[in-house]
Amino acid sequence: QNPGLNFQTPASEQPRSTALYSLARATKMDDSDVELLGSDKTPVSKTAPLTLIILVGINLLNYIDRYTVAGVLPLLQDKEDSGFSDDLSDAQAGLLMTAFIVSYMLFSPLFGYLGDRMNRKMLIFVGIILWSLFTVGGSFSTSYYMLLAARALVGIGEASYATVAPTIIADLYPASVRTSVLSVFYLAIPVGSALGFVVGSEAAAALGSWRWALRVSPPIGLGLAVILMLFTSEPPRGASEAHLGAEGIVNESHGLRAFLKDCREVLSVRSFVWSTAGTTAVTFTAGALAQWAPTYMQRQAGYSNRTASFIFGGITCATGVGGTLLGAYLSKIYTPRTQTTDGIICGLGLLACVPFLSMALPVAQHVDMLSWVLILFGEIFLCLNWAPASAILLYVIAPHQRSSGEAISILTQHLFGDAFSPFLVGVVSDSLQDSYNLSDGDSLMFALFIPALAAILGGAAFLYGSKYLPADRARASNIQEIEEEYSSVNQPVGSQAGDM
């Protein structure tokens, strides 16, 4: 017998009702906090709806903050408005987003490792505190490099949330409804991004400074984090799976070797690798558009910063909601027919956005309203990906390694996606302007064709990887034994930290 394993009769050998309430006691949840839902009789906390609302709210605020800087970018580039010593080049402006994303992706593996082993609510709570402090701190920057450092530190706080929140949702809701629930969670991406443009430009206009734009969301985020800690229960890992073999487990293998072992196992899942490549193309394209589209329309169509940010924000919000819900609906309708559906939806959506976004660029200077319409359709197809792509990661990776999977996915898609694309577009724009004596609008137009190429490659990756989905999904859902130690998820935080 292994002395490290301390548990009684395995859940898979107990009567189902006994197993559920044993699980509730083991994880310090009240018996009343476990429900039998539907024919699957999946244990889900009664606080699941509240937990989902709070996580969606925090995700919304994170994306509002992330794109608030894009909403005030022209103000930051003008030294008279920014209060900095010099004007900012396009490359320097793009680096503000890149600095945030780089720290976000570099710290994601750390929080992925901790998210598979520690109390996830506490990780989110600590992360929100860091995010709030550094966001507000950035508003007091007196130089470009102070703001750059602050935006980089903001990424550390957000990494703690982004790696573990989807895994909590996966443990609260069964696979039969998970894609629909995730579509609600990921609505925060387009809606928050759109509100970021609006909040940034409107707060700056109303209060007379770009600094106030960074002070809106942190207090609300802190309030939501407190509610999450006090009024919700963290679900056991794997609790929503159809089988009981992985219920209530925590990955308790520690150290670098354990982390590398998790990474090897996650990267051996071929559908995960190809869908991550596709998602990387999505973030590359979306990141470049979010950073530069309002500025481009200001330069080529003569809009003010406030108007361009407001229109682009509205389009992003509408297309994000419509595209995300449409993607989830198509997944729900066609997945029963073929388990390759999610990969096909993502691939075709990404390929379909290319002609619309490509045509929108040269049209802007001549027929600005047509350009906005083309952007609208392009973003609808781009946003088809959010819910199906996120569902793929959660159902092809075993429950005890999902936070690590999220971390690897975040690291990859941001390292080669939106950490890179805003800066790349800015550098290419500057280079074209200097080398060929182009206007700042024309140089930015040619640079923005780069994301279209990335979208083509990403669509191909999704379609190729879809053929591996059925086998990988079956393998992850049929896990009956986990080689790691078992323990309660809701242990006192101090005892878990001591074990680390």
Side-chain angles (χ1 to χ4, degrees), residues 21 164 173 184 204 217 316 319 323 337 346 484:
Y21 291 101
V164 300
Y173 291 93
V184 176
S217 55
T316 301
T319 57
R337 303 182 188 182
C346 293
E484 320 300 346

Side-chain angles (χ1 to χ4, degrees), residues 306-340:
R306 185 177 183 180
T307 302
S309 295
F310 185 83
I311 295 175
F312 184 74
I315 288 176
T316 301
C317 182
T319 57
V321 172
T324 301
L325 293 179
L326 178 59
Y329 174 76
L330 293 174
S331 175
K332 181 179 179 180
I333 294 298
Y334 292 105
T335 295
R337 303 182 188 182
T338 172
Q339 291 193 16
T340 62

